[in-house]
Amino acid sequence: MKRILVAEDNDSNYILMTYILRGHYEVVRAHDGQEAIDIVANGGIDLVLMDVKMPVMDGLEATSHLKETNPDLPIIALTANVFDSDRNAAIAAGCDDFLAKPVNCVQCLEIIANHLTPDE
């Protein structure tokens, strides 16, 4: 089963993401951007759902760091900010896609599937 890292500091948002992903993917949590970097460094992560606004290190800075060492790791930005400038900032930081909060279940699973190869 593919492993998805959900980098999310808000407990209720994390619970929602686990509800959406359960049965489809194994879910791992990071509470901030630095923790996300540390978890990815240990290996075994197939995709990252990255909250943009987090303590310690925000999601855009963490994405930039992750893409330096893991350029092929799909990273999808999660944010309540839905302006074009927010989307552009996420893409500029290295995010491969963008999901607006509140997350639509069907759209979330479709976007993730677009970035992962099926389990063999």
Side-chain angles (χ1 to χ4, degrees):
M1 185 176 282
K2 299 283 186 183
R3 292 180 80 208
I4 294 181
L5 172 61
V6 178
E8 173 63 67
D9 62 314
N10 181 288
D11 289 340
S12 60
N13 288 339
Y14 174 73
I15 291 167
L16 173 64
M17 294 311 300
T18 60
Y19 176 79
I20 292 170
L21 300 172
R22 73 177 180 199
H24 302 280
Y25 304 101
E26 181 182 339
V27 178
V28 178
R29 183 181 188 181
H31 292 86
D32 60 61
Q34 183 58 58
E35 188 177 2
I37 290 170
D38 295 342
I39 291 169
V40 170
N42 288 327
I45 299 298
D46 298 297
L47 182 139
V48 178
L49 293 173
M50 183 74 75
D51 183 22
V52 172
K53 293 189 178 186
M54 292 184 289
V56 182
M57 179 186 293
D58 71 38
L60 298 183
E61 185 178 352
T63 296
S64 294
H65 286 287
L66 287 170
K67 285 297 188 171
E68 287 175 12
T69 54
N70 303 277
D72 296 328
L73 177 67
I75 301 176
I76 300 170
L78 290 173
T79 183
N81 302 326
V82 294
F83 297 107
D84 285 341
S85 59
D86 299 308
R87 180 183 301 270
N88 293 340
I91 300 302
C95 290
D96 299 287
D97 220 321
F98 187 92
L99 274 170
K101 294 179 186 176
V103 174
N104 174 290
C105 181
V106 172
Q107 180 188 30
C108 177
L109 292 173
E110 286 175 356
I111 288 174
I112 290 170
N114 288 340
H115 291 282
L116 290 177
T117 56
D119 282 328
E120 307 197 352

